[in-house]
Amino acid sequence: MTGSIFRVSSRSTENIAAIAMDIRAHLGVEGEPHFNVIGLLEDLLYQEWDQVRFEVCDSEEMDGAEGHTCPAGTFIALREDVYRGACNGDGRARFTVAHELGHLVLHAKQPLRRAAAGELKPFQSSEWQADMFAAQLLMPAQFFSWVDNEQSVMRRHGVTHSAARYRLNHLRKKGII
């Protein structure tokens, strides 16, 4: 779904965090700051959504997209280099996988309406929600403290500098750390 902006039912960061933590707990990684995101995706699809296909596609098939989640909830596709990167611990690729999983968990089989940039509040945007889900899944607040910086978050959670910075800023703004 990346590339287009869709209006979806509003969700709070707390709601999205609860869903991400439920998934972590269900798959037994709630106490792990860093986990195999491809393994988690495959386990979740196998255990919960065996009717959802997981496809690894070449760049040409993906038409430049890093990932795609079918709005009907029938498949998740990842570009081959993103899949390999996530398997090898690349932070951007890991975030992309978690983002696409967020689309599946939060938006599959729900009505979507295209929206123009600037038309939506963040909590109504499918992309904002999927990004928030990825951040909550990969970097739960429970692992943070006031002494954290971008480097410590990057090492602990296997994410990019920009993801770590965004998450730290968000948690500080909310008064969580």
Side-chain angles (χ1 to χ4, degrees):
M1 283 191 250
T2 305
S4 296
I5 299 172
F6 292 97
R7 178 187 299 272
V8 292
S9 298
S10 297
R11 288 188 186 268
S12 68
T13 56
E14 294 79 15
N15 172 260
I16 294 168
I19 294 167
M21 290 309 293
D22 284 349
I23 288 172
R24 279 177 144 266
H26 181 72
L27 295 174
V29 297
E30 68 273 23
E32 298 178 35
H34 188 285
F35 60 89
N36 175 350
V37 72
I38 293 291
L40 181 130
L41 174 65
E42 290 173 340
D43 287 349
L44 192 59
L45 295 180
Y46 176 75
Q47 290 180 22
E48 302 298 323
W49 298 306
D50 60 351
Q51 73 281 5
V52 179
R53 293 185 332 269
F54 176 42
E55 302 173 5
V56 178
C57 304
D58 64 32
S59 186
E60 200 171 287
E61 289 175 282
M62 294 296 291
D63 195 29
E66 293 180 21
H68 179 73
T69 301
C70 174
T74 59
F75 71 87
I76 287 180
L78 295 175
R79 199 171 63 204
E80 187 177 12
D81 62 310
V82 172
Y83 175 79
R84 277 194 318 272
C87 288
N88 292 324
D90 175 75
R92 180 173 171 84
R94 294 180 77 248
F95 197 90
T96 297
V97 173
H99 174 97
E100 294 304 326
L101 179 57
H103 281 307
L104 181 67
V105 171
L106 301 173
H107 307 133
K109 300 179 183 173
Q110 291 190 14
L112 301 173
R113 195 181 96 218
R114 287 194 189 278
E119 177 184 326
L120 301 177
K121 303 276 189 218
F123 52 84
Q124 299 171 316
S125 164
S126 63
E127 292 305 308
W128 178 87
Q129 288 183 12
D131 280 348
M132 184 57 64
F133 177 86
Q136 299 281 1
L137 185 71
L138 296 176
M139 301 172 281
Q142 73 191 46
F143 295 108
F144 284 76
S145 76
W146 66 272
V147 297
D148 274 319
N149 60 37
E150 286 91 350
Q151 295 302 319
S152 65
V153 174
M154 289 170 63
R155 279 191 303 276
R156 185 174 57 238
H157 296 285
V159 296
T160 64
H161 185 267
S162 61
R165 183 179 56 245
Y166 178 85
R167 187 70 171 134
L168 280 167
N169 288 341
H170 176 80
L171 293 173
R172 287 178 177 138
K173 183 178 175 184
K174 291 276 192 177
I176 296 171
I177 58 171

